[in-house]
């Protein structure tokens, strides 16, 4: 395990260095922000209107052809709002210092434009499987959009990477955080909670896509609202600290040693690395995961669904994740002894929520329960994204084997060390990004034309955009 941990960290130090993924993610986001004329700002009002206009806990049935627009965005947010918003935020703070949060914000702002582009392409290149279900995502727009051997190779590489990154490694992270939270809050054995979680996952997976969408559209709004309400109440109780929190984040982004007496040993490079990596794990903009659910939405024009991608990144990072960050930093619970944080992972979040209003027992229990719903819906969403790519590679015959593997990794991840699980997730997430963003950049003229035609109120015809 020590050898594996060292190997993965060495790979990540290169992959997440300033010249590979950080440059690619930020560069792509800046490129689309400029080419799409700051779509994340000027289409934000439309995004809000579409989100709340389609809001429903029951949703009009979309038939087997796909999901309703709200079911699609709910499934997307269910996958995005998970462990990354709690544990990811806390690990970014400890490993990269408070300055990491600044780089999370920067990456998320530009990532909104990238996510917009991904969803447009997913809508244009979506298709139907053998059962008549609408499916889509990067593997489809890479293979059909690029064509030839390059398209086929990159699509296959992406499909394998997302199966490993989300279906296996990513779900290990989610399960690990759930069992950590229940152990610290209730003293429940990781073996027991891991076994129960695996059983619940099995039941939902067997129920298929429709059960996944029903879970997402009902659980996502409720869990997010509860977490935000309690988090805001704690922040308000610490309102005198908010200006100091902002100052700490901005100062630490460019002078990491200013934070906590330099106890973290963070540098600007590590602040960027952990901020952008954990931000990617949280909002998934550029990773190519959420377009799978958005592709299935029944809308008149792809832009109508793409603006909801802007909203999902906003809700994930600038609402839910920021709640976690400001509760932790305003509560004053971050402590270091001999250069190591006293609290790590989910226990840091639990301690922060326990320090004000809730008290120790209730605070730990509240976060454990919230994390269960956050992480469980992410497991469900990521399973769904992985299943689509299993279908792309192997057809129906690979699904049963994939389900067994996911359940195994959920249980196995429940028992592992936090650091190793996160490093593995960072590595495989990064490998997903490479083929996805290469294709999105090559196909960018299609996205630009699509948005222009939408603004000019031209009638949408898919054949006008597919080569």
């Amino acid at each position: 395990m020590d050898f594996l941990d060292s190997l993965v960290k060495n790979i990540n130090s290169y992959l997440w260095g300033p010249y590979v993924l950080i440059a690619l993610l930020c560069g792509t986001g800046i490129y689309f922000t400029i080419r799409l004329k700051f779509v994340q700002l000027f289409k934000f009002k439309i995004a809000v209107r579409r989100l709340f206009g389609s809001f429903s806990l029951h949703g009009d049935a979309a038939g087997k052809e796909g999901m309703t627009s709200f079911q699609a965005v709910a499934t997307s947010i269910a996958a995005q709002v998970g462990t990354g918003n709690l544990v990811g935020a806390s690990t970014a703070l400890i490993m990269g210092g408070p300055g990491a949060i600044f780089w999370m914000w920067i990456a998320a702002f530009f990532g909104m434009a990238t996510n917009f582009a991904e969803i447009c392409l997913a809508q244009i290149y979506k298709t139907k499987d053998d059962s008549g279900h609408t499916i889509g995502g990067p593997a489809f727009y890479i293979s059909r959009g690029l064509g030839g051997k390059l398209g086929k190779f990159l699509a296959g590489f992406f499909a394998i990477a997302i199966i490993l990154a989300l279906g296996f490694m990513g779900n290990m992270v989610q399960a690990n955080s759930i069992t950590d939270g229940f152990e610290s809050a209730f003293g429940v054995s990781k073996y027991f909670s891991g076994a129960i979680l695996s059983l619940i996952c099995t039941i939902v997976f067997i129920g298929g896509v429709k059960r996944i969408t029903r879970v997402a559209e009902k659980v996502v709004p409720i869990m997010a609202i509860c977490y935000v309400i309690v988090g805001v109440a704690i922040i308000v109780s610490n309102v005198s600290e908010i200006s100091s929190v902002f100052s700490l984040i901005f100062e630490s982004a460019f002078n990491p040693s200013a934070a906590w007496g330099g106890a973290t040993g963070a540098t600007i490079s590590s602040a960027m690395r952990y901020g952008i990596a954990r931000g990617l794990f949280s909002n998934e903009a550029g990773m190519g995961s959420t377009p799978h659910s958005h592709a299935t939405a029944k809308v008149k024009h792809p832009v109508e669904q793409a603006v909801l991608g802007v909203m999902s990144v906003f809700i994930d990072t600038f609402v839910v994740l920021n709640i976690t960050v400001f509760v932790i930093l305003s509560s004053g619970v971050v402590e270091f002894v001999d250069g190591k944080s006293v609290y790590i992972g989910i226990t840091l979040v639990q301690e922060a929520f326990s320090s004000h209003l809730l008290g120790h027992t209730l605070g730990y229990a509240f976060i454990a329960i919230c994390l269960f719903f956050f992480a469980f819906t992410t497991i469900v969403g990521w399973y769904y994204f992985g299943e689509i790519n299993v279908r792309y590679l192997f057809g129906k015959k690979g699904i049963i084997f994939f389900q067994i593997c996911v359940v195994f990794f959920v249980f196995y991840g429940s028992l592992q060390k936090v650091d190793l699980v996160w490093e593995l997730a960072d590595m495989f997430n990064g490998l997903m990004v490479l083929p996805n963003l290469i294709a999105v950049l090559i196909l960018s003229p299609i996205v630009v034309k699509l948005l222009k035609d939408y603004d000019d109120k031209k009638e949408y015809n898919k054949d006008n955009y597919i080569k």
Side-chain angles (χ1 to χ4, degrees):
M1 281 299 176
D2 288 339
F3 171 76
L4 179 62
D5 189 37
S6 176
L7 175 64
V8 173
K9 284 180 177 177
N10 287 335
I11 293 172
N12 282 339
S13 66
Y14 174 77
L15 195 61
W16 284 102
Y19 306 114
V20 185
L21 287 177
I22 289 177
L24 184 59
L25 282 164
C26 293
T28 302
I30 292 170
Y31 171 78
F32 276 110
T33 296
I34 295 170
R35 286 296 305 274
L36 301 176
K37 300 176 181 178
F38 286 84
V39 66
Q40 63 268 61
L41 295 179
F42 294 105
K43 288 290 186 285
F44 191 80
K45 184 177 179 181
I46 295 174
V48 173
R49 190 164 61 243
R50 280 200 53 78
L51 177 65
F52 291 100
S54 62
F55 177 85
S56 171
L57 291 180
H58 303 289
D60 295 325
K64 74 176 184 177
E65 291 87 2
M67 303 182 193
T68 65
S69 183
F70 180 74
Q71 285 176 330
V73 75
T75 303
S76 172
I77 295 174
Q80 288 170 301
V81 178
T83 296
N85 298 82
L86 282 75
V87 186
S90 67
T91 56
L93 280 171
I94 299 305
M95 301 299 291
I101 306 307
F102 172 82
W103 297 109
M104 273 188 180
W105 293 343
I106 295 298
F109 175 77
F110 291 116
M112 290 179 187
T114 304
N115 201 223
F116 178 93
E118 291 176 299
I119 294 168
C120 284
L121 294 173
Q123 277 280 329
I124 290 172
Y125 287 99
K126 65 184 178 182
T127 185
K128 292 185 178 181
D129 63 15
D130 296 338
S131 304
H133 294 97
T134 299
I135 56 174
F140 298 90
Y141 62 67
I142 293 172
S143 60
R144 299 175 66 198
L146 300 188
K149 292 182 178 179
L150 176 64
K152 187 175 181 180
F153 170 75
L154 289 178
F157 184 91
F158 174 86
I160 293 170
I162 192 173
I163 291 169
L164 295 174
L166 300 190
F168 300 160
M169 304 305 163
N171 281 337
M172 284 176 66
V173 170
Q174 305 298 331
N176 185 270
S177 297
I178 289 174
T179 55
D180 263 358
F182 271 78
E183 184 177 53
S184 58
F186 308 112
V188 178
S189 163
K190 285 189 174 185
Y191 284 93
F192 180 77
S193 54
I196 296 298
L197 178 62
S198 300
L199 177 62
I200 296 172
C201 288
T202 301
I203 294 170
V204 174
F205 296 164
I206 292 173
V209 172
K210 288 300 177 182
R211 181 170 291 176
I212 291 170
T213 60
R214 286 196 295 271
V215 169
E217 71 177 346
K218 291 175 174 61
V219 173
V220 169
I222 296 170
M223 71 178 187
I225 290 169
C226 289
Y227 185 76
V228 168
I229 288 173
V230 175
V232 168
I234 293 174
I235 292 169
V236 169
S237 73
N238 296 326
V239 68
S240 61
E241 301 294 326
I242 299 306
S243 61
S244 298
V245 170
F246 273 110
S247 296
L248 182 64
I249 290 172
F250 282 101
E251 186 177 359
S252 301
F254 303 100
N255 182 20
S257 63
W260 303 315
T264 63
T267 62
I268 293 177
S269 177
S270 63
M272 292 179 68
R273 180 255 193 265
Y274 284 102
I276 295 173
R278 295 295 187 260
L280 176 68
F281 189 90
S282 176
N283 62 52
E284 303 176 37
M287 201 159 74
S289 52
T290 58
H292 293 93
S293 58
H294 287 289
T296 64
K298 294 179 66 177
V299 290
K300 294 180 180 179
H301 196 285
V303 170
E304 294 178 355
Q305 192 64 28
V307 294
L308 289 175
V310 170
M311 275 304 299
S312 63
V313 174
F314 178 83
I315 291 170
D316 175 90
T317 301
F318 293 103
V319 178
V320 182
L321 186 143
N322 271 359
I323 293 290
T324 304
V325 168
F326 278 82
V327 169
I328 291 173
L329 292 180
S330 66
S331 64
V333 298
V334 178
E335 297 180 45
F336 290 88
V337 175
D338 297 328
K340 293 185 178 181
S341 177
V342 175
Y343 303 106
I344 60 171
I346 193 60
T347 57
L348 177 59
V349 184
Q350 289 175 311
E351 192 65 25
F353 272 78
S354 299
S355 63
H356 295 275
L357 294 181
L358 296 181
H360 185 275
T361 302
L362 184 57
Y364 269 67
F366 174 75
I367 292 302
I369 293 169
C370 279
L371 182 62
F372 171 79
F373 285 109
F374 277 113
F376 175 69
T377 52
T378 300
I379 289 173
V380 171
W382 283 359
Y383 161 79
Y384 170 56
F385 300 158
E387 182 186 300
I388 291 173
N389 287 275
V390 169
R391 288 176 180 270
Y392 172 80
L393 290 172
F394 309 110
K396 285 183 179 181
K397 59 187 178 182
I399 293 176
I400 295 297
F401 180 71
F402 176 65
Q403 289 174 337
I404 293 170
C405 287
V406 173
V407 172
F408 167 78
F409 277 100
V410 165
F411 180 73
Y412 183 68
S414 300
L415 314 176
Q416 298 309 303
K417 289 172 57 179
V418 174
D419 289 347
L420 176 58
V421 170
W422 275 99
E423 289 291 341
L424 284 167
D426 281 349
M427 183 179 73
F428 284 101
N429 286 349
L431 293 176
M432 278 176 60
V433 170
L434 297 174
N436 179 54
L437 289 190
I438 289 171
V440 171
L441 287 168
I442 293 173
L443 298 172
S444 62
I446 296 175
V447 179
V448 174
K449 183 177 186 299
L450 188 71
L451 180 59
K452 184 180 184 302
D453 289 351
Y454 177 81
D455 288 338
D456 293 340
K457 295 181 169 53
K458 291 184 180 180
E459 185 176 349
Y460 172 66
N461 183 346
K462 181 162 55 173
D463 293 337
N464 293 336
Y465 304 96
I466 295 180
K467 297 177 184 178

